[in-house]
Amino acid sequence: MFDLLSGLTSAGLIREIAEVRGQLRDRQARFIPQRVHVGDLVVSGQVHVDLSALDDYIHTTADNERWITRVRLIKAMAAKNQLPVGVIPQSYHQIPNGRIVGSGGFAIQNAHENLRTAAMNGYWDYDFTACHQAILAHFGDYPRTQALVDNPRAVREMVAADIGCEYKPVKTSIIAVLFGADDGLYEKKCAVAKNLGRNKVRAFWDHPWVSEYYNETVDAGRKLVGDVDNFHVALSNKLQNIESQLLAVVSRDKRVDVPMYDGFMSTESYDTAEMERLVEQETGYRITITKEKIRHGFSNFEGNRATG
């Protein structure tokens, strides 16, 4: 009888059974919906994760203990009898600028990139290429901004090579320009100094592409938000708000397993050209959407995740 009751519980049909001081008792199980409405999005309240890939992440990762602990929390939740094995709950809330943000310790959206790749091994990842820059390029003739939209990797690699830095910190520093980064040298408070090191700050800001790109973002930003106090705060909030609107348009009538601000992850494969056409038709913004299959980086993982 106990096995039967436990089976029904895992299917979400009755209360959860627990052993308390040697006696079986029941307690009200928290209902976890398969789909949840958050703002203008409908997203998955339950996500299937690849337990084998997460095990490999623990055994091979060089990431810090914080993320190892997060993996173990996710694996523990994925083993609870409230949901099928390998399934974890996801919850979200909408912040004032419109973004849909993951909540709690099991939020895949907030996880380290390598952890997220392991958990979502086999999903499709949809990404809005240089989304904020594509929005700003709509407001005028901005060749540096448009170059970043057209070929972001080439631009970032060019800047990185010219100033003698790695690709990823240069990418992060270019993003920080839109959010009000300055040329300060204090690494704990200044984004560029934190990313590149204080000895590279001047080279970054003096780079011809960076300096002209900054001027373009200010000019386009003034057209978008006006001449307001706390300009970069207002600009970043406005860009994130538009970004969330684009995501709502793109994901309509589609399966969104994990929203990612400028894109989403899904078990389903969709036509990106059709999504781009829909965005331009409904919002006027021309963006490029890419998709790729998420691969954890080692073999024999097809079929490890339950589907549903």
Side-chain angles (χ1 to χ4, degrees):
M1 177 60 73
F2 179 73
D3 289 341
L4 174 61
L5 293 176
S6 296
L8 292 173
T9 296
S10 66
L13 300 178
I14 64 170
R15 300 184 193 209
E16 185 177 359
I17 304 299
E19 185 173 345
V20 181
R21 295 180 181 176
Q23 296 189 10
L24 297 181
R25 298 185 182 177
D26 65 331
R27 63 188 181 203
Q28 186 65 46
R30 182 167 65 93
F31 174 68
I32 301 174
Q34 290 193 356
R35 294 284 181 271
V36 293
H37 289 261
V38 191
D40 293 327
L41 294 184
V42 179
V43 299
S44 294
Q46 304 176 16
V47 170
H48 297 260
V49 296
D50 193 321
L51 295 176
S52 297
L54 288 172
D55 276 335
D56 183 77
Y57 175 90
I58 290 175
H59 295 142
T60 62
T61 185
D63 295 321
N64 63 38
E65 186 63 27
R66 172 190 173 194
W67 297 111
I68 298 296
T69 301
R70 180 73 65 86
V71 172
R72 289 177 175 142
L73 284 171
I74 290 172
K75 289 185 81 261
M77 175 56 72
K80 285 179 68 68
N81 66 359
Q82 195 172 347
L83 290 171
V85 174
V87 178
I88 62 172
Q90 297 288 281
S91 60
Y92 301 90
H93 64 279
Q94 187 171 35
I95 59 178
N97 65 22
R99 273 188 163 179
I100 306 302
V101 178
S103 305
F106 308 109
I108 297 297
Q109 183 197 79
N110 304 332
H112 185 280
E113 180 181 1
N114 294 340
L115 189 163
R116 195 166 59 240
T117 298
M120 306 301 285
N121 183 45
Y123 280 74
W124 288 98
D125 183 32
Y126 298 85
D127 180 68
F128 303 168
T129 302
C131 183
H132 291 174
Q133 291 84 359
I135 294 168
L136 290 177
H138 176 78
F139 291 92
D141 181 18
Y142 302 115
R144 280 80 183 176
T145 303
Q146 191 60 54
L148 187 63
V149 173
D150 292 341
N151 197 337
R153 174 164 285 277
V155 170
R156 295 163 186 158
E157 287 179 343
M158 177 264 295
V159 174
D162 288 349
I163 68 174
C165 283
E166 297 294 325
Y167 174 87
K168 197 161 187 178
V170 167
K171 173 184 176 181
T172 308
S173 296
I174 290 173
I175 293 172
V177 169
L178 280 181
F179 292 87
D182 58 31
D183 59 357
L185 302 180
Y186 186 42
E187 294 174 349
K188 289 188 177 181
K189 288 189 175 181
C190 302
V192 175
K194 180 180 179 181
N195 292 325
L196 303 179
R198 61 173 58 197
N199 62 323
K200 294 293 184 180
V201 170
R202 193 70 269 147
F204 176 79
W205 285 106
D206 286 345
H207 191 282
W209 183 88
V210 174
S211 59
E212 288 301 317
Y213 168 70
Y214 173 78
N215 292 334
E216 289 180 2
T217 62
V218 171
D219 187 76
R222 297 290 184 197
K223 295 176 182 177
L224 183 59
V225 301
D227 189 10
V228 297
D229 293 335
N230 298 316
F231 167 72
H232 282 102
V233 173
L235 177 60
S236 62
N237 280 328
K238 184 63 175 179
L239 288 171
Q240 290 171 25
N241 180 264
I242 295 173
E243 174 190 76
S244 67
Q245 295 174 31
L246 302 184
L247 180 58
V249 171
V250 163
S251 61
R252 189 182 305 141
D253 300 325
K254 295 179 177 61
R255 181 186 177 104
V256 177
D257 286 290
V258 178
M260 291 298 296
Y261 306 148
D262 57 350
F264 65 99
M265 291 181 280
S266 176
T267 56
E268 303 300 320
S269 176
Y270 298 111
D271 182 356
T272 57
E274 175 59 22
M275 292 193 288
E276 292 169 359
R277 185 199 64 77
L278 189 62
V279 167
E280 185 171 9
Q281 174 183 303
E282 295 200 17
T283 70
Y285 293 107
R286 184 178 294 117
I287 64 171
T288 299
I289 302 173
T290 61
K291 76 172 180 180
E292 64 177 338
K293 201 73 171 290
I294 299 173
R295 297 295 186 192
H296 173 59
F298 65 104
S299 60
N300 301 321
F301 273 60
E302 281 298 320
N304 281 339
R305 181 190 297 104
T307 58

XYZ file of all heavy atoms in Angstrom, residues 152-220:
547
model
N 29.841 39.866 -34.358
C 30.339 40.215 -33.025
C 31.677 39.561 -32.680
O 32.529 40.189 -32.063
C 29.221 39.749 -32.082
C 28.406 38.784 -32.873
C 28.506 39.229 -34.287
N 31.865 38.306 -33.079
C 33.120 37.646 -32.725
C 34.303 38.326 -33.397
O 35.352 38.531 -32.767
C 33.075 36.165 -33.110
C 34.398 35.439 -32.899
C 34.259 33.942 -32.906
N 33.666 33.452 -31.670
C 34.342 33.227 -30.546
N 35.652 33.471 -30.498
N 33.743 32.765 -29.488
N 34.175 38.689 -34.667
C 35.288 39.322 -35.380
C 35.674 40.646 -34.729
O 36.865 40.953 -34.579
C 34.909 39.536 -36.842
N 34.681 41.435 -34.335
C 34.960 42.730 -33.704
C 35.655 42.528 -32.359
O 36.665 43.173 -32.047
C 33.666 43.539 -33.522
C 33.917 44.771 -32.652
C 33.104 43.954 -34.874
N 35.128 41.638 -31.547
C 35.725 41.399 -30.222
C 37.141 40.852 -30.344
O 38.036 41.246 -29.589
C 34.842 40.437 -29.430
C 33.457 40.986 -29.102
C 32.535 39.862 -28.707
N 31.161 40.312 -28.519
C 30.097 39.499 -28.592
N 30.266 38.205 -28.855
N 28.889 39.974 -28.409
N 37.351 39.937 -31.286
C 38.692 39.383 -31.487
C 39.665 40.461 -31.949
O 40.839 40.457 -31.548
C 38.641 38.238 -32.502
C 38.008 36.964 -31.948
C 37.945 35.847 -32.978
O 38.078 36.153 -34.192
O 37.753 34.680 -32.588
N 39.203 41.376 -32.794
C 40.053 42.459 -33.274
C 40.499 43.355 -32.117
O 41.684 43.656 -31.974
C 39.296 43.276 -34.320
C 40.040 44.487 -34.852
S 39.585 46.025 -33.971
C 37.853 46.192 -34.429
N 39.543 43.753 -31.268
C 39.883 44.599 -30.125
C 40.809 43.858 -29.170
O 41.809 44.409 -28.682
C 38.608 45.065 -29.390
C 38.962 45.830 -28.111
C 37.747 45.932 -30.297
N 40.501 42.588 -28.911
C 41.324 41.795 -27.990
C 42.762 41.685 -28.502
O 43.717 41.834 -27.726
C 40.709 40.408 -27.822
N 42.917 41.424 -29.796
C 44.266 41.304 -30.358
C 45.022 42.625 -30.295
O 46.216 42.666 -29.972
C 44.182 40.807 -31.807
N 44.316 43.720 -30.583
C 44.959 45.032 -30.618
C 45.460 45.477 -29.251
O 46.480 46.169 -29.143
C 44.001 46.082 -31.184
C 43.769 45.922 -32.679
O 44.511 45.140 -33.316
O 42.834 46.561 -33.209
N 44.731 45.131 -28.185
C 45.150 45.595 -26.858
C 45.831 44.496 -26.046
O 46.232 44.722 -24.900
C 43.956 46.180 -26.064
C 42.949 45.090 -25.678
C 43.282 47.287 -26.849
C 41.834 45.594 -24.769
N 45.960 43.301 -26.635
C 46.673 42.212 -25.977
C 45.915 41.586 -24.817
O 46.492 41.351 -23.754
N 44.623 41.299 -25.038
C 43.788 40.687 -23.991
C 43.082 39.448 -24.532
O 43.019 39.223 -25.745
C 42.748 41.676 -23.477
S 43.411 42.912 -22.356
N 42.528 38.661 -23.611
C 41.741 37.505 -23.993
C 40.374 37.944 -24.533
O 39.889 39.039 -24.232
C 41.544 36.573 -22.798
C 42.824 35.972 -22.256
C 43.480 35.021 -23.240
O 42.730 34.331 -23.965
O 44.721 34.986 -23.301
N 39.763 37.046 -25.298
C 38.482 37.357 -25.949
C 37.363 37.628 -24.946
O 36.652 38.645 -25.045
C 38.095 36.184 -26.864
C 36.721 36.306 -27.488
C 36.547 36.983 -28.680
C 35.603 35.730 -26.884
C 35.293 37.097 -29.277
C 34.345 35.840 -27.461
C 34.189 36.516 -28.652
O 32.949 36.629 -29.214
N 37.186 36.735 -23.976
C 36.011 36.817 -23.115
C 35.965 38.089 -22.268
O 34.915 38.730 -22.173
C 35.910 35.576 -22.232
C 34.530 35.393 -21.613
C 34.317 33.969 -21.143
C 32.883 33.762 -20.687
N 32.637 32.351 -20.275
N 37.062 38.510 -21.609
C 36.983 39.767 -20.856
C 36.743 40.984 -21.734
O 36.117 41.958 -21.288
C 38.335 39.837 -20.134
C 39.217 38.862 -20.813
C 38.338 37.805 -21.365
N 37.220 40.952 -22.984
C 36.925 42.047 -23.906
C 35.442 42.051 -24.252
O 34.793 43.112 -24.275
C 37.787 41.939 -25.181
C 37.262 42.876 -26.275
C 39.238 42.263 -24.859
N 34.877 40.880 -24.495
C 33.439 40.778 -24.760
C 32.633 41.369 -23.606
O 31.711 42.171 -23.814
C 33.046 39.311 -24.965
C 31.551 39.080 -25.092
C 31.225 37.584 -25.195
C 29.724 37.360 -25.225
N 29.383 35.910 -25.300
N 32.988 40.998 -22.374
C 32.276 41.495 -21.205
C 32.447 42.997 -21.046
O 31.514 43.704 -20.655
C 32.777 40.768 -19.940
O 32.706 39.357 -20.151
C 31.927 41.127 -18.730
N 33.629 43.508 -21.359
C 33.891 44.948 -21.239
C 33.088 45.745 -22.261
O 32.580 46.838 -21.954
C 35.384 45.228 -21.411
O 36.132 44.627 -20.375
N 32.948 45.217 -23.474
C 32.141 45.906 -24.495
C 30.680 45.960 -24.063
O 29.998 46.972 -24.258
C 32.315 45.206 -25.862
C 33.729 45.448 -26.397
C 31.272 45.702 -26.862
C 34.059 44.655 -27.658
N 30.193 44.895 -23.460
C 28.831 44.907 -22.928
C 28.712 45.964 -21.826
O 27.726 46.706 -21.751
C 28.455 43.519 -22.381
C 28.357 42.509 -23.522
C 27.132 43.570 -21.608
C 28.179 41.071 -23.064
N 29.743 46.056 -20.974
C 29.706 46.992 -19.845
C 29.640 48.440 -20.294
O 29.142 49.302 -19.551
C 30.929 46.773 -18.960
N 30.129 48.739 -21.495
C 30.076 50.108 -22.015
C 28.642 50.612 -22.042
O 28.355 51.777 -21.703
C 30.707 50.170 -23.426
C 30.418 51.504 -24.104
C 32.211 49.936 -23.344
N 27.709 49.758 -22.432
C 26.298 50.150 -22.494
C 25.702 50.421 -21.120
O 24.692 51.116 -21.004
C 25.471 49.059 -23.179
C 25.484 49.007 -24.701
C 24.592 47.877 -25.186
C 25.031 50.322 -25.295
N 26.299 49.855 -20.092
C 25.741 49.966 -18.756
C 26.457 51.022 -17.918
O 26.327 51.052 -16.696
C 25.787 48.613 -18.056
C 24.868 47.596 -18.675
C 25.289 46.808 -19.726
C 23.565 47.462 -18.225
C 24.428 45.887 -20.315
C 22.697 46.542 -18.810
C 23.127 45.755 -19.856
N 27.238 51.882 -18.600
C 27.851 53.008 -17.898
C 29.239 52.761 -17.375
O 29.704 53.495 -16.487
N 29.950 51.758 -17.886
C 31.328 51.527 -17.449
C 32.185 52.755 -17.755
O 31.946 53.476 -18.727
C 31.903 50.300 -18.158
N 33.189 52.997 -16.895
C 34.071 54.147 -17.107
C 35.526 53.695 -17.152
O 35.811 52.503 -17.182
C 33.847 55.205 -16.026
C 34.067 54.659 -14.616
O 34.909 53.756 -14.459
O 33.402 55.140 -13.678
N 36.428 54.694 -17.158
C 37.848 54.367 -17.285
C 38.563 54.351 -15.936
O 39.790 54.503 -15.876
C 38.537 55.357 -18.229
C 38.432 56.805 -17.758
O 37.774 57.044 -16.717
O 39.011 57.679 -18.423
N 37.812 54.150 -14.868
C 38.412 54.051 -13.547
C 39.309 52.831 -13.426
O 39.138 51.833 -14.131
N 40.254 52.911 -12.511
C 41.235 51.833 -12.348
C 40.970 50.967 -11.120
O 41.708 50.011 -10.868
C 42.646 52.437 -12.236
C 43.108 53.300 -13.418
C 44.518 53.823 -13.165
C 43.055 52.514 -14.722
N 39.926 51.292 -10.369
C 39.634 50.550 -9.143
C 38.885 49.274 -9.514
O 37.715 49.304 -9.885
C 38.809 51.414 -8.198
C 38.565 50.801 -6.831
C 39.572 50.135 -6.151
C 37.319 50.903 -6.228
C 39.356 49.585 -4.898
C 37.084 50.362 -4.969
C 38.102 49.704 -4.312
O 37.875 49.154 -3.072
N 39.555 48.146 -9.430
C 39.035 46.902 -9.990
C 37.781 46.384 -9.285
O 37.016 45.620 -9.865
C 40.130 45.834 -9.963
C 41.291 46.187 -10.894
C 42.450 45.225 -10.783
O 42.451 44.411 -9.847
O 43.363 45.301 -11.624
N 37.553 46.788 -8.027
C 36.373 46.307 -7.313
C 35.108 47.055 -7.720
O 34.006 46.561 -7.502
C 36.585 46.435 -5.806
C 37.601 45.448 -5.248
C 37.639 45.487 -3.733
C 38.602 44.436 -3.187
N 38.644 44.445 -1.696
N 35.251 48.241 -8.310
C 34.070 49.029 -8.661
C 33.955 49.346 -10.150
O 32.868 49.691 -10.618
C 34.073 50.341 -7.868
C 33.776 50.173 -6.390
C 33.574 51.527 -5.717
C 33.154 51.349 -4.260
N 32.930 52.662 -3.587
N 35.044 49.252 -10.884
C 35.043 49.645 -12.292
C 35.064 48.394 -13.171
O 36.014 47.596 -13.100
C 36.246 50.534 -12.595
S 36.287 52.024 -11.566
N 34.039 48.238 -13.988
C 33.831 46.988 -14.723
C 34.976 46.666 -15.682
O 35.413 45.516 -15.771
C 32.510 47.051 -15.483
N 35.447 47.663 -16.421
C 36.515 47.392 -17.391
C 37.801 46.994 -16.680
O 38.488 46.046 -17.080
C 36.739 48.619 -18.302
C 37.936 48.390 -19.222
C 35.485 48.895 -19.134
N 38.136 47.709 -15.609
C 39.330 47.360 -14.837
C 39.209 45.959 -14.241
O 40.182 45.189 -14.211
C 39.557 48.390 -13.733
N 38.006 45.618 -13.784
C 37.782 44.283 -13.223
C 37.957 43.208 -14.283
O 38.538 42.145 -14.028
C 36.385 44.208 -12.625
C 36.033 42.861 -12.015
C 34.632 42.873 -11.433
C 34.281 41.515 -10.838
N 32.905 41.507 -10.278
N 37.472 43.465 -15.493
C 37.533 42.467 -16.562
C 38.926 42.337 -17.161
O 39.394 41.224 -17.419
C 36.544 42.829 -17.672
C 35.107 42.706 -17.247
O 34.749 41.825 -16.474
N 34.262 43.605 -17.741
N 39.569 43.474 -17.425
C 40.807 43.482 -18.189
C 42.061 43.660 -17.351
O 43.167 43.384 -17.823
C 40.770 44.606 -19.238
C 39.604 44.588 -20.231
C 39.710 45.780 -21.178
C 39.578 43.288 -21.016
N 41.885 44.140 -16.117
C 43.046 44.534 -15.322
C 43.354 46.002 -15.543
O 43.197 46.514 -16.663
N 43.780 46.677 -14.503
C 43.939 48.126 -14.593
C 44.970 48.563 -15.631
O 44.880 49.672 -16.178
C 44.299 48.700 -13.226
C 45.617 48.190 -12.635
C 45.969 48.952 -11.375
N 44.927 48.856 -10.369
C 44.828 49.684 -9.330
N 45.713 50.645 -9.178
N 43.872 49.520 -8.444
N 45.930 47.703 -15.942
C 46.960 48.094 -16.904
C 46.454 48.098 -18.344
O 47.154 48.589 -19.248
C 48.176 47.169 -16.788
C 47.841 45.726 -17.114
O 46.756 45.253 -16.775
N 48.763 45.010 -17.761
N 45.232 47.579 -18.579
C 44.672 47.546 -19.933
C 43.508 48.526 -20.125
O 42.966 48.627 -21.223
C 44.187 46.130 -20.267
C 45.296 45.089 -20.357
C 46.210 45.353 -21.538
C 47.258 44.261 -21.676
N 48.157 44.513 -22.833
N 43.139 49.231 -19.075
C 41.973 50.121 -19.155
C 42.177 51.213 -20.191
O 41.314 51.473 -21.033
C 41.678 50.737 -17.773
C 40.624 51.842 -17.889
C 41.207 49.662 -16.801
N 43.328 51.899 -20.139
C 43.572 53.000 -21.062
C 43.616 52.512 -22.500
O 43.065 53.157 -23.412
C 44.881 53.672 -20.688
C 45.138 55.002 -21.338
C 44.223 56.091 -20.806
N 42.980 56.207 -21.579
C 41.824 56.555 -21.060
N 41.712 56.776 -19.763
N 40.739 56.677 -21.810
N 44.246 51.349 -22.726
C 44.332 50.808 -24.088
C 42.944 50.500 -24.628
O 42.667 50.714 -25.818
C 45.210 49.560 -24.099
N 42.070 49.981 -23.768
C 40.707 49.657 -24.194
C 39.962 50.916 -24.618
O 39.405 50.975 -25.717
C 39.970 48.955 -23.053
C 38.524 48.651 -23.342
C 38.163 47.571 -24.124
C 37.507 49.464 -22.823
C 36.829 47.285 -24.397
C 36.168 49.187 -23.080
C 35.832 48.095 -23.874
N 39.956 51.936 -23.757
C 39.177 53.137 -24.061
C 39.789 53.958 -25.198
O 39.076 54.699 -25.885
C 39.010 53.992 -22.809
C 38.005 53.424 -21.861
C 38.244 52.801 -20.683
C 36.584 53.428 -22.025
N 37.061 52.401 -20.087
C 36.020 52.783 -20.889
C 35.716 53.902 -23.011
C 34.655 52.601 -20.721
C 34.346 53.732 -22.842
C 33.828 53.078 -21.721
N 41.096 53.849 -25.403
C 41.742 54.587 -26.489
C 41.651 53.867 -27.827
O 42.018 54.440 -28.863
C 43.225 54.817 -26.157
C 43.425 55.879 -25.088
O 42.463 56.628 -24.812
O 44.531 55.950 -24.513
N 41.187 52.631 -27.816
C 41.068 51.898 -29.073
C 40.059 52.612 -29.978
O 38.960 52.968 -29.536
C 40.608 50.463 -28.813
C 40.710 49.585 -30.007
N 39.796 49.617 -31.043
C 41.649 48.650 -30.359
C 40.137 48.734 -31.960
N 41.259 48.144 -31.572
N 40.405 52.855 -31.249
C 39.512 53.618 -32.140
C 38.110 53.054 -32.235
O 37.130 53.818 -32.252
C 40.236 53.574 -33.486
C 41.668 53.335 -33.148
C 41.667 52.490 -31.913
N 37.988 51.721 -32.323
C 36.644 51.152 -32.428
C 35.853 51.392 -31.146
O 34.679 51.791 -31.193
C 36.700 49.647 -32.710
C 35.325 49.066 -32.897
C 34.618 48.979 -34.062
C 34.463 48.570 -31.876
N 33.371 48.449 -33.825
C 33.245 48.191 -32.488
C 34.599 48.412 -30.506
C 32.174 47.663 -31.771
C 33.529 47.881 -29.785
C 32.338 47.510 -30.410
N 36.483 51.198 -29.987
C 35.782 51.351 -28.707
C 35.333 52.790 -28.500
O 34.183 53.045 -28.117
C 36.678 50.897 -27.534
C 35.996 51.204 -26.194
C 36.989 49.413 -27.633
N 36.208 53.746 -28.746
C 35.851 55.151 -28.511
C 34.718 55.594 -29.426
O 33.789 56.294 -28.994
C 37.078 56.053 -28.688
O 37.623 55.922 -29.991
N 34.755 55.186 -30.698
C 33.673 55.549 -31.620
C 32.386 54.799 -31.285
O 31.288 55.359 -31.398
C 34.098 55.274 -33.058
C 35.129 56.242 -33.590
C 34.625 57.683 -33.552
O 33.452 57.914 -33.921
O 35.398 58.559 -33.131
N 32.520 53.544 -30.894
C 31.356 52.762 -30.480
C 30.670 53.414 -29.287
O 29.435 53.531 -29.243
C 31.794 51.346 -30.136
C 30.756 50.507 -29.417
C 29.609 50.067 -30.067
C 30.937 50.163 -28.075
C 28.663 49.295 -29.404
C 30.007 49.391 -27.408
C 28.863 48.962 -28.068
O 27.933 48.201 -27.399
N 31.451 53.861 -28.319
C 30.872 54.536 -27.148
C 30.079 55.764 -27.583
O 28.943 55.979 -27.119
C 31.972 54.942 -26.175
C 31.460 55.790 -25.034
C 30.792 55.212 -23.957
C 31.627 57.167 -25.044
C 30.301 55.988 -22.919
C 31.142 57.956 -24.011
C 30.481 57.353 -22.953
O 29.991 58.142 -21.934
N 30.653 56.585 -28.473
C 29.952 57.791 -28.940
C 28.650 57.434 -29.648
O 27.627 58.112 -29.482
C 30.849 58.595 -29.879
C 32.039 59.209 -29.166
O 31.980 59.468 -27.957
N 33.128 59.447 -29.892
N 28.671 56.361 -30.434
C 27.459 55.930 -31.129
C 26.379 55.487 -30.144
O 25.195 55.816 -30.326
C 27.790 54.780 -32.084
C 28.595 55.183 -33.305
C 28.904 54.010 -34.211
O 28.469 52.875 -33.914
O 29.576 54.217 -35.249
N 26.783 54.731 -29.103
C 25.775 54.246 -28.143
C 25.138 55.405 -27.381
O 23.940 55.363 -27.075
C 26.396 53.258 -27.140
O 27.417 53.897 -26.370
C 26.952 52.046 -27.853
N 25.924 56.435 -27.083
C 25.368 57.607 -26.395
C 24.394 58.337 -27.307
O 23.288 58.729 -26.889
C 26.487 58.554 -25.926
C 25.899 59.871 -25.412
C 27.321 57.884 -24.826
N 24.773 58.525 -28.574
C 23.903 59.222 -29.520
C 22.591 58.460 -29.716
O 21.496 59.044 -29.647
C 24.621 59.396 -30.855
C 23.835 60.254 -31.831
O 23.818 61.486 -31.650
O 23.220 59.695 -32.774
N 22.683 57.163 -29.971
C 21.478 56.348 -30.158
C 20.673 56.278 -28.874
O 19.433 56.319 -28.894
C 21.862 54.945 -30.619
